[in-house]
Amino acid sequence: MNTSTDIVPVGKGGFVGHLVGKALPYTTPWVSAATLPPVAGWATNTMWGGDPVTAGLVSAGLAVGGVVLSAVTWQAAGGSNKFREIRRVQATASVAAGMGWLTCATAAGPFGHPLMDLWLLGGGLFAASWNVRQLMRNAHDETEGSESGGGLAALADAIGWEKVRVKKDKVKGSGKGTVTAPVAVEAGGTIADVQSTTAKVAAAFQVPPSGVVVTPDPENAAEGTVSLRVADLLKDGVEFAPPRELGMLPTEPVPVGLYADGEVWVLDPFSAAILQHVLVMGVTGAGKSEFLRSLVVHLATRRQMTIFLVDLAKGRQTVGHIADGIDWLIQDAKTAKRLLKSLPAAIKARGDVLADEGLDQWSPESSLNAMLVWIEEAADVADFNDLDEIARKARSVGIWLGISLQRATWKNLDTDVRANLQGAVCFGVDDAGDAGFCLPDRVIDAGAIPAWGSDRPGYAVATGMGIPESRWTTEVRSGLTDREELAALVAAAAPYRDPLDETTATALGQAYAQRAHRGTNRTTPGVPEAAPAALAPAPAPAAAIPAPAVAASGPGHDDSMEDDMSDLEGAAAEEIQDAYDEVMAAIPADPEPDADYAHLRLEDDVPEAEPDSGIEFEVPDRPTTEEARHILYIELDGWMRGGRLEFEPADLAPATAAAGRKRPWLQGELKRLTELGVLQHDSHGEYQIIQSPLQPA
């Protein structure tokens, strides 16, 4: 209690002065009611009441003026709570009653009956009502609602919360920089209206734009929760959390950072009810690469796990130091397309194995490895039809698809593909609208929009992948990684990493068998094999694992040597091309471009020689079907062994001619080989060799 207002002054005249000071504010309505109406009525009646015509015109003018003045009072006395609404009605009624009495008094005079009676009764009621209002105002703050927290409710007019009630008794502080408060809307309002004001609330409380989130109650459309992040616990960075041990299964949670309230941010994709593919989005410098390294290293220290990674832009720069943990690192578009065209066959083969094992979806009980297939800037890598098929079919067979790009617009990522990427990690974007390409609508509506560009690297909003839905609107920040630490973890985990299972490797065919990059695992020469799981000692905590002196890309690897080899290969390719051009230039042109045989094609029969030409054509015996197929198979096998896996039907014209066949036969054989899984056909008419046709089935 404020003692300065409760102590009664003492001394000469002190008590009387105190009473006068307390009573004076309450006398103003009485003085006004006693003096203003009769004085104003006497004045107007004296000036215009003598002439009936003049009195009538003046009364009409005062009536119109009273209506206008009452409307102005109603508009000016608006409010957002019960006290202000009552004040509005009271003030408007007072003005209307006063102007009505003055209009009548102008024509009839203020001191006759019944105007004198109305003045005495109405003026007393008017003064008493304002005294009651003054008493209530002193006992209760007009800016406070009966169920509203004073701070939020005081800003109701400014932020558009006239129909919002904040339950002050349930406002909670987490002690970690976050305050939450339940809110409810009155009839006519919606939680969506509250969500639309988050920017105003953030400005009113001077917190970042993303610091205010409003989430609806899934069971009551009239209620929700306001979360205010009043302190940033992540601004000093988040340390990388190493695996607690090596050799864990893929179903163990993966810690990749912290939430804004200090809780650990974990992903648990392989233990979720549905394996959800993930879309990662953000501008350059927003932190996507840091997040990727954390995720890859954690999975690379586990058994029964295989990682494929496609990065055509900066693969070695991003993951070169942890490349030994990646089974297939792809850095050229041609190989990337081979991978994506081979995956559907692998998905089918894995599905057949899981069916034989009695599993509806992948689990550690299967003989198959879990897989991560990560694609950077997918728009530059694959046909959308290929991605759509993979995204639709891969989840149930334990293949986790991750796609990372700067903007997931319809030009960069097909909407059907995006619909199958149910997990999301959205780092900073330049335009708030871009976040809608990545995050669910309910997260955007709640105000969790990472529209900070590259100003806050590592900060993001994440959904799906085993993350509880209640955490979808909370900001996260990924851990900061150290290249040497990550390389050491990958090297130490090599004895625990399992090679890709035989089923998947066989189904991927030559694209996988001839891959240029091969990660290390327990079967790689020079890597000690870990003891069987049942007999092996408990894996050492990763934090206690010493960091061996390894190069950035693994044991015994020299980046400069690889660069030199690349230069030599480039020079050799140029020399080969020069030699080829020289040989082709030495071959003379067709000496008879207009000869009768110039128009002949592969499909045409051998022409009949002129009787007097002296030329005889020897028609060899036509190869049998098996012999013809063998000629075709030898051609395909030779291409495969030479590293050529893509071709068009026209490339097989010489082999077709040698087999004594024509185009319809070739088309039939290509179709048969495709059905057998030896070849794969795309929508552009190109074929890919999955395995040699001479290889036993």
Side-chain angles (χ1 to χ4, degrees), residues 28-153:
T28 302
W30 292 96
V31 173
S32 300
T35 58
L36 291 179
V39 171
W42 174 80
T44 55
N45 179 259
T46 301
M47 293 179 64
W48 300 298
D51 182 15
V53 176
T54 303
L57 293 174
V58 171
S59 297
L62 288 173
V64 173
V67 173
V68 174
L69 186 58
S70 297
V72 172
T73 304
W74 177 267
Q75 187 66 29
S80 60
N81 55 44
K82 294 179 180 179
F83 282 93
R84 292 184 179 182
E85 291 173 355
I86 294 173
R87 181 187 65 183
R88 186 184 210 182
V89 174
Q90 186 179 18
T92 304
S94 298
V95 171
M99 290 301 296
W101 186 89
L102 181 61
T103 300
C104 296
T106 299
F111 301 116
H113 296 288
L115 291 177
M116 176 69 74
D117 304 319
L118 291 173
W119 167 47
L120 293 175
L121 293 175
L125 292 174
F126 161 81
S129 69
W130 282 96
N131 283 167
V132 171
R133 175 170 183 78
Q134 286 175 299
L135 288 169
M136 294 301 296
R137 181 180 62 188
N138 293 336
H140 197 93
D141 184 2
E142 290 189 19
T143 65
E144 182 182 2
S146 60
E147 294 186 24
S148 300
L152 288 175

Side-chain angles (χ1 to χ4, degrees), residues 19 93 103 106 122 128 152 176 209 224 306 314 325 349 416 445 458 555 573 578 633 640 684:
L19 291 179
T103 300
T106 299
L152 288 175
K176 297 180 179 180
T306 297
K314 51 179 183 177
D416 290 337
D445 294 340
D578 292 342
Y633 295 172
M640 184 208 71
H684 302 291

